[in-house]
Amino acid sequence: MLKRVSIHGNWSSRMGFVLAATGAAVGLGNIWKFPYITGENGGGAFVLVYLACVVAVGLPVMIAEMVLGRRGRRNPIGTMKLLSEEESRSSAWRFVGWLGVATGMLILSYYSVVAGWTLSYTVESISGAFRDAGPEEVGAMFSGLLASPLTLLAWHTLFMGMTVFVVARGVQHGLEAAVRYLMPVLLVLLLVLVGYAMTTGHFMEGVHFLFDPDFSKLTPAAFMIALGQAFFTLSIGMGAIMAYGAYLPEDTAIAPTAATVVAADTTVALLAGLAIFPLVFANGLNPGEGPGLIFQTLPLAFGMMPGGVVFGTLFFLLLVVAAWTSAIGLIEPAVAYLVESRSMPRRRAALLIGGSIWLLGFATVFSFNVWSDLTVSIGDRAFTMFDGVEFFTSNIALPLGGLLIAVFAGWVMSKGSTLDEFERGASTGYATWRLLVRWVAPAALLIVFLQVTGLVDITNL
Ligand code: TRP
């Protein structure tokens, strides 16, 4: 077969892909979401289920996206259409690309609002607001922010503006360069925070909470949440990695490259947990605090440590950057589609998509204040609009996308096609991958779905 090339060219090296994919993967999902949902779900046992999901389902699906992306070398909608035709299967598979585009936009609508919180906290830190602040003051600062729709809206607007600005100019230059230098700095700062956590006298409590599994705390819903988080944090299930895979050099070995990205992402999440939980216990806070967890714990550490103003400002600034590089990955599939298939100028496409996402974000902004009473009860939980969008995207849309991608790579594509991509660069482990992507990933995802729809209760299996 004549080898296809992407119209955008390729990454200069394997490292280019690793940096871009890690930039997309490492974001609020690792530092904001992982600690708070781990806290809500009781700690160690949940972490164990999450790690199992990352390895047994997340890694094979990431490899599948890279295999499909490099074979198709188009945006996710174009790639799914092309490959299904090539395998003489229904071109309805392109729906998977559409689902991904829509999911990315929905995720970004709330992601941007939370990224706005990190912008606000950067400014608070510079102004010295955390200095010697106690848990009550820090808690009040956070609830004050949420109570003000205009403040939230202003930060959300700024963050969407930053995202559109970069995407309108084309992703490659500024951002790839930023990731290259800023990600390592973020890692160092996380280590500084873990170091600080060791001085609180409650470090081991944090370690036990994260790593000692107490299976009695595991609810059936926890399986679904762990799987959803694995997809969210790895940026899989919506075609983003497929799009990045389209620019992979022809001879890059896919499996070890995917494993590198997964390992980097997991390391950052676990370090965030090690930085945050000791502070939770040292200050008598509740680990099940919810989405405000890092905003109510980290300022306490920065308020007390020497050089806290500098460290705190840097930390929230880097969190902004981590969120920014992820936001680009979330919006790019929709923009690329309009540019490639509708011949729209990139600038206009970025403004149009960014503007729509900005509007969708109002639902999240108002969830915390004027619409906070507007809830839907599912089971014993009341869902605000924010909870609803977050739940639907992470726990339904991403796993559904992942299921379809796994089925496509494992059952629809011929063995010859996937083997050809997989083996390049002397990757080993094809048989294991094929087993995981054909059986283990679909089975795990199906069970979770049946459970979501209430048809089967995992506890009775
Ligand atoms: N992985 C990102 C995070 O942890 C969020 C995310 C989900 C994402 N899907 C994505 C980022 C697709 C880029 C592309 O914060």
Side-chain angles (χ1 to χ4, degrees):
M1 187 179 79
L2 190 68
K3 271 295 148 197
R4 268 188 285 273
V5 276
S6 158
I7 59 165
H8 308 285
N10 280 354
W11 304 109
S12 46
S13 64
R14 168 177 181 272
M15 205 52 199
F17 173 89
V18 170
L19 284 169
T22 307
V26 174
L28 298 173
N30 306 64
I31 295 165
W32 162 69
K33 206 169 184 186
F34 172 74
Y36 99 72
I37 63 175
T38 297
E40 283 180 338
N41 288 281
F46 176 82
V47 174
L48 211 62
V49 175
Y50 160 78
L51 291 175
C53 289
V54 163
V55 174
V57 186
L59 182 59
V61 170
M62 180 178 284
I63 293 174
E65 285 203 29
M66 291 168 70
V67 163
L68 300 182
R70 184 164 71 186
R71 196 137 186 101
R73 293 226 183 267
R74 314 247 159 116
N75 73 69
I77 299 173
T79 287
M80 291 307 290
K81 183 163 177 291
L82 182 72
L83 294 182
S84 52
E85 283 163 1
E86 206 165 80
E87 306 282 335
S88 318
R89 298 303 184 106
S90 162
S91 66
W93 279 102
R94 69 185 187 284
F95 161 74
V96 176
W98 280 105
L99 177 70
V101 165
T103 307
M105 291 177 64
L106 269 179
I107 292 179
L108 187 52
S109 80
Y110 77 81
Y111 201 88
S112 167
V113 176
V114 177
W117 303 350
T118 65
L119 280 170
S120 158
Y121 270 60
T122 308
V123 174
E124 295 282 1
S125 181
I126 298 178
S127 73
F130 305 151
R131 214 175 267 140
D132 299 318
E136 290 80 24
E137 286 163 88
V138 171
M141 203 184 296
F142 185 66
S143 16
L145 174 65
L146 293 196
S148 164
L150 280 181
T151 313
L152 291 179
L153 207 54
W155 291 117
H156 165 56
T157 307
L158 176 60
F159 186 79
M160 278 312 298
M162 289 160 55
T163 305
V164 167
F165 174 76
V166 174
V167 173
R169 293 169 55 118
V171 185
Q172 247 71 2
H173 299 292
L175 228 86
E176 205 180 309
V179 179
R180 183 171 306 232
Y181 296 108
L182 295 172
M183 283 294 160
V185 185
L186 181 67
L187 193 67
V188 170
L189 268 182
L190 264 181
L191 288 170
V192 169
L193 277 175
V194 173
Y196 177 78
M198 288 178 178
T199 69
T200 58
H202 293 259
F203 188 67
M204 286 321 287
E205 246 176 284
V207 173
H208 289 309
F209 183 75
L210 268 179
F211 297 111
D212 286 355
D214 173 356
F215 289 98
S216 68
K217 289 190 182 150
L218 214 52
T219 60
F223 287 91
M224 168 184 71
I225 294 170
L227 189 68
Q229 171 64 8
F231 273 71
F232 183 88
T233 191
L234 297 175
S235 298
I236 55 176
M238 51 158 282
I241 296 293
M242 203 187 290
Y244 284 0
Y247 318 140
L248 265 178
E250 205 57 66
D251 57 353
T252 297
I254 286 179
T257 305
T260 309
V261 175
V262 169
D265 186 76
T266 308
T267 306
V268 173
L270 293 177
L271 282 177
L274 285 177
I276 287 155
F277 287 111
L279 292 171
V280 169
F281 298 120
N283 291 285
L285 299 169
N286 169 19
E289 189 61 50
L293 187 64
I294 65 163
F295 298 96
Q296 281 158 310
T297 50
L298 294 181
L300 296 171
F302 295 128
M304 283 181 282
M305 68 169 72
V309 171
V310 176
F311 283 137
T313 306
L314 250 177
F315 178 83
F316 281 109
L317 201 61
L318 287 163
L319 200 47
V320 169
V321 174
W324 200 5
T325 56
S326 295
I328 310 295
L330 285 164
I331 197 176
E332 176 63 17
V335 173
Y337 172 74
L338 286 183
V339 172
E340 285 174 31
S341 304
R342 302 279 139 141
S343 326
M344 194 182 279
R346 187 167 250 283
R347 202 175 286 261
R348 192 186 309 161
L351 267 176
L352 188 70
I353 301 283
S356 321
I357 296 172
W358 177 73
L359 274 179
L360 282 172
F362 281 51
T364 293
V365 165
F366 295 142
S367 287
F368 297 109
N369 35 69
V370 287
W371 289 348
S372 61
D373 292 333
L374 194 70
T375 58
V376 177
S377 299
I378 302 176
D380 52 3
R381 262 192 74 188
F383 281 72
T384 62
M385 300 269 254
F386 160 71
D387 299 325
V389 177
E390 199 200 328
F391 184 89
F392 172 77
T393 49
S394 286
N395 300 317
I396 297 177
L398 292 181
L400 177 62
L403 172 65
L404 294 171
I405 288 166
V407 168
F408 189 81
W411 298 93
V412 175
M413 296 279 286
S414 73
K415 192 172 176 186
S417 308
T418 50
L419 183 64
D420 180 40
E421 288 305 326
F422 193 99
E423 274 191 335
R424 245 167 248 280
S427 257
T428 52
Y430 179 78
T432 312
W433 172 71
R434 194 162 155 86
L435 183 80
L436 290 172
V437 89
R438 276 164 76 91
W439 298 101
V440 176
L445 288 160
L446 267 178
I447 291 173
V448 162
F449 276 126
L450 295 179
Q451 204 241 324
V452 173
T453 50
L455 295 176
V456 175
D457 187 339
I458 277 186
T459 47
N460 296 332
L461 275 184

